[in-house]
Amino acid sequence: MKSDVRCPYSSLLELLHYRKSSRNFSTKRLEPETIERIKKATQLSASCFNNQPWRFLFLYEEKALEKGRQALKEGNSWAEKAPLLVVGFSRADSDCQTRDGRDYYLFDLGLASQLIMLQATELNLSARPMAGFYPQKIKTLFNIDDEYTVMVMIAIGYDADETSDGDKPERKRNPLHENFFDNRFQD
């Protein structure tokens, strides 16, 4: 794809550092090839027994975007400018259910959602996942059956705040010892 603008990093850690979750999207439309590339990357996600239980609704035509925007909660009105909204959903009976009661469908949906965000990053796009929307409204507006759990909406687009040299504020993360434990858990 000749129009690809790729991030300048070559390692996964650098790509992850480059990932951004903007709240100030440019209204510039995404090319169909860009949207297709995000779908292809997501389709390669791991899943239990390769069940691929995720379902993603890509909203990029203006009428579909308007419907999707109706489901945003007030605190996420910033997402109205995003030229692509992706709704992630799945259902329990489409994936592994262990004897001890663990359902993998939402885990697998999360894995696939992360690939959406990473592919968007590689294409120099911002991708911000949100819980601040009304899942039932999405189901109603887009005729999604009740047995599906609508879990996430991801706003994707070009970052309107992008500086000319690509600088961005330092990402704040907990120190490693607060989230990772070696050989035993200590609270």
Side-chain angles (χ1 to χ4, degrees):
M1 294 183 347
K2 56 186 170 199
S3 65
D4 275 356
V5 176
R6 299 195 184 262
C7 72
Y9 302 108
S10 59
S11 78
L12 180 58
L13 279 175
E14 289 174 324
L15 178 71
L16 291 170
H17 181 73
Y18 187 72
R19 184 187 62 78
K20 49 192 175 273
S21 294
S22 179
R23 287 188 184 194
N24 190 12
F25 287 97
S26 161
T27 56
K28 178 182 174 185
R29 292 278 175 229
L30 302 182
E31 294 292 324
E33 298 84 18
T34 299
I35 295 169
E36 192 68 16
R37 190 173 186 105
I38 293 169
K39 290 176 185 178
K40 285 180 178 180
T42 306
Q43 191 64 17
L44 296 174
S45 184
S47 64
C48 186
F49 288 111
N50 197 28
N51 286 328
Q52 303 174 46
W54 52 79
R55 300 294 180 265
F56 291 102
L57 177 60
F58 278 63
L59 308 174
Y60 51 88
E61 292 178 352
E62 197 52 45
K63 286 184 181 182
L65 276 169
E66 281 304 317
K67 285 171 56 174
R69 291 171 182 146
Q70 291 175 36
L72 292 171
K73 289 188 176 180
E74 186 176 315
N76 284 335
S77 60
W78 54 265
E80 292 177 359
K81 286 175 54 180
L84 173 60
L85 294 174
V86 179
V87 178
F89 53 104
S90 189
R91 63 180 195 219
D93 67 355
S94 62
D95 206 6
C96 298
Q97 297 172 314
T98 64
R99 290 182 187 164
D100 63 0
R102 288 176 287 145
D103 290 327
Y104 265 69
Y105 73 108
L106 294 178
F107 176 75
D108 285 346
L109 175 62
L111 288 172
S113 296
Q114 181 67 36
L115 288 185
I116 286 174
M117 295 187 315
L118 290 176
Q119 183 59 68
T121 300
E122 198 251 346
L123 295 169
N124 200 33
L125 300 170
S126 184
R128 187 177 187 97
M130 13 173 197
F133 67 97
Y134 298 99
Q136 189 56 51
K137 192 159 198 164
I138 290 289
K139 285 182 177 184
T140 301
L141 290 168
F142 294 99
N143 300 312
I144 298 172
D145 292 338
D146 278 338
E147 58 266 7
Y148 283 101
T149 299
V150 176
M151 188 58 144
V152 66
M153 184 183 284
I154 306 169
I156 301 174
Y158 294 99
D159 186 354
D161 290 332
E162 190 71 28
T163 62
S164 59
D165 60 2
D167 286 341
K168 63 183 200 125
E170 184 68 28
R171 180 174 286 141
K172 293 182 179 157
R173 291 290 185 237
N174 293 340
L176 289 177
H177 71 272
E178 288 185 17
N179 296 92
F180 300 93
F181 306 91
D182 295 319
N183 302 311
R184 62 189 166 120
F185 178 70
Q186 294 175 297
D187 197 14

